[in-house]
Amino acid sequence: MTEINEPRVEAPPIVVWPVTPGEPPFRLVEIRGEAVGKAESIVDVVAYAHDAGLGHVDLDDPAVVRWVGGGKYTWVPHHGIL
């Protein structure tokens, strides 16, 4: 049997998906691979993290949060208009 000597890459515990249009717009949040709710702001993301037992959450640390479709300040849908 051969072992791979490369380090294992772990997914961050929090994933925040792209903005979904709505009134108000929201982003789906997953923690440890499970959907936990709809966030309307970074405050909601932190609240979900705390509810899941994660203590201090550094929203700028890619080892903690993966922002998909925009960073922590992206809370309106992108319509592709230039």
Side-chain angles (χ1 to χ4, degrees):
M1 183 191 294
T2 304
E3 288 188 31
I4 297 174
N5 293 326
E6 295 180 25
R8 197 171 157 194
V9 177
E10 296 283 331
I14 303 169
V15 177
V16 182
W17 293 99
V19 176
T20 298
E23 282 301 322
F26 63 90
R27 296 177 77 169
L28 294 176
V29 179
E30 289 182 3
I31 297 183
R32 297 182 185 111
E34 294 197 26
V36 294
K38 298 175 181 180
E40 296 174 15
S41 72
I42 57 177
V43 173
D44 294 334
V45 175
V46 171
Y48 287 132
H50 286 211
D51 290 347
L54 299 173
H56 172 72
V57 177
D58 182 351
L59 299 176
D60 295 316
D61 186 347
V64 176
V65 183
R66 178 177 171 219
W67 298 95
V68 181
K72 67 183 180 183
Y73 297 117
T74 304
W75 294 97
V76 294
H78 175 69
H79 296 290
I81 300 171
L82 298 176

